[in-house]
Amino acid sequence: MLDCLLLEWERLYPVLGNGVVDSLYFGGGTPSILPPHELSRIILAVRSRVALRSDAEITLEVNPDDVTPAYLAGIAGLGINCLSLGIQSLN
């Protein structure tokens, strides 16, 4: 499935033109289910095709029940600098 997402990115990134991207948001459908190495593949694909600002906000929506210290350590070096907590899991 990740390969399909990356293929879709390759087909659609030209609509962004030559602008600089200020933010990258991984949200909807609990993207935190992806292991860090798969998130890394997506971020690298984006960085290879568009200018992502060095101080860009990269947000990952997470389910608090699924996030462990090991997972946070795994994403720490990916440039993800904001977590969005899904409140539906507070039920």
Side-chain angles (χ1 to χ4, degrees), residues 29-46:
T30 315
S32 59
I33 198 168
L34 292 172
H37 72 275
E38 290 186 355
L39 289 168
S40 176
R41 285 182 61 198
I42 298 168
I43 293 169
L44 289 173
V46 170

Side-chain angles (χ1 to χ4, degrees), residues 33-82:
I33 198 168
L34 292 172
H37 72 275
E38 290 186 355
L39 289 168
S40 176
R41 285 182 61 198
I42 298 168
I43 293 169
L44 289 173
V46 170
R47 288 188 185 275
S48 74
R49 297 295 187 188
V50 298
L52 186 61
R53 288 177 48 138
S54 61
D55 64 343
E57 179 179 295
I58 303 177
T59 302
L60 176 67
E61 185 177 321
V62 298
N63 178 341
D65 291 336
D66 297 336
V67 177
T68 64
Y71 188 81
L72 294 175
I75 65 169
L78 301 181
I80 295 169
N81 52 23
C82 185

